[in-house]
Amino acid sequence: MRITRVLGGALLALGLAAGPAVADSPSPSASGDGSDGKAPTQAGTSFRTATEIEQGEQATASGSTGDYLYWSFPADTGQRPTVRATVKLPDTHGAQTWRLDVYDGLRRRQSCQYGADSRTTARGASSVELACVLRTVRGWSEPWANDPLPGTYYVRLTVADLGSADLGLPVSAEVRVDSKDIGGAAAVDGSLGKPLVPGIAVKSAAEKDGSKTAVLSSFGSDDGWSSGWWSDRWVWTAIGAALAALAGIGGYTLTRGSGRPSRVPPNA
């Protein structure tokens, strides 16, 4: 049983050591609820001019029906982003269909795991609410796949169907992005060389030759992304291996007996 005590102590030490490592994984998720008064109050009109928002901020913008409103936000490995948008409509209007689309850093449209990303409002409705829960962001993917990868994501909000009389009416929108940390359950064996942040590859090349090149997004510093080989899946794998070893030792101890025969034969 001495071996059992040694393995138990090692398992406890492994758990204590792994706790801070998991907690210290950097993430570009944002600061609180955006109550510092610095949340954006306008939206971009294209991918290139998308307004940057952080997770946890509630951005607002004013526009007109028929406009395309764009925001961008960062999402890292293991996060499952949820994008919510509320559009406040004018007092008088006809039936309208609003749509919320999310694109990754390569401008590939990402499908919603669940949520109402398109809704039709009744005549005279005061507002419409949209939501899109994306798939969990992966650290690596096949080139042909459309899996969400770490980097910049774009939100596009627009009206998809309306009567000609409602075109150009003033509206206001609220957008918020939150994420649930899925952790090692979504970990894969691989990582990107760089997150999908527009301009980051150009910036890296420019830093080597000393030139100055504009970067389309400011998300993600050199140490601001947690993509890599480490995840808490390694911790659970080590714990499972240690428990399997303990079970093997316990089973062997129970089945081998005392090591002496139950009956001593008489002396010949």
Side-chain angles (χ1 to χ4, degrees):
M1 300 305 291
R2 184 176 182 180
I3 298 178
T4 304
R5 290 195 299 269
V6 172
L7 287 177
L11 180 61
L12 178 60
L14 176 62
L16 293 176
V22 174
D24 291 342
S25 297
S27 172
S29 61
S31 57
D33 57 359
S35 59
D36 55 359
K38 297 181 180 180
T41 56
Q42 61 182 1
T45 57
S46 67
F47 286 101
R48 293 181 62 88
T49 61
T51 299
E52 296 180 1
I53 62 175
E54 294 286 355
Q55 294 185 21
E57 284 185 333
Q58 181 165 300
T60 58
S62 298
S64 303
T65 52
D67 291 343
Y68 286 89
L69 305 179
Y70 286 84
W71 294 268
S72 61
F73 67 92
D76 205 355
T77 303
Q79 294 182 341
R80 180 184 293 167
T82 298
V83 183
R84 293 183 175 87
T86 301
V87 183
K88 297 181 180 179
L89 304 173
D91 296 335
T92 304
H93 64 84
Q96 299 179 1
T97 300
W98 284 82
R99 185 173 184 84
L100 178 70
D101 296 306
V102 182
Y103 299 83
D104 66 6
L106 298 178
R107 300 185 186 180
R108 303 176 301 180
R109 185 178 181 275
Q110 294 294 315
S111 59
C112 300
Q113 191 173 23
Y114 51 88
D117 59 348
S118 179
R119 275 186 172 176
T120 300
T121 65
R123 182 185 300 272
S126 60
S127 64
V128 57
E129 295 183 356
L130 305 169
C132 177
V133 180
L134 299 177
R135 295 170 294 165
T136 304
V137 178
R138 296 161 56 91
W140 178 84
S141 176
E142 295 287 351
W144 47 262
N146 194 35
D147 296 320
L149 295 171
T152 299
Y153 283 77
Y154 296 94
V155 179
R156 184 176 71 182
L157 178 65
T158 189
V159 61
D161 185 26
L162 79 165
S164 58
D166 293 336
L167 189 64
L169 292 179
V171 295
S172 61
E174 298 177 354
V175 172
R176 182 183 177 95
V177 180
D178 295 289
S179 284
K180 180 179 180 180
D181 189 5
I182 304 301
V188 293
D189 295 328
S191 62
L192 293 179
K194 292 288 184 181
L196 299 182
V197 177
I200 193 169
V202 178
K203 180 181 178 182
S204 299
E207 288 175 348
K208 293 180 180 179
D209 59 18
S211 60
K212 295 182 179 180
T213 305
V215 179
L216 301 182
S217 176
S218 62
F219 291 140
S221 60
D222 293 338
D223 58 351
W225 300 91
S226 61
S227 302
W229 65 272
W230 171 258
S231 73
D232 55 4
R233 184 179 62 169
W234 291 98
V235 178
W236 293 109
T237 301
I239 292 176
L243 291 176
L246 290 176
I249 293 174
Y252 173 76
T253 303
L254 292 175
T255 57
R256 74 185 181 94
S258 62
R260 295 179 298 175
S262 59
R263 179 179 299 175
V264 178
N267 294 329

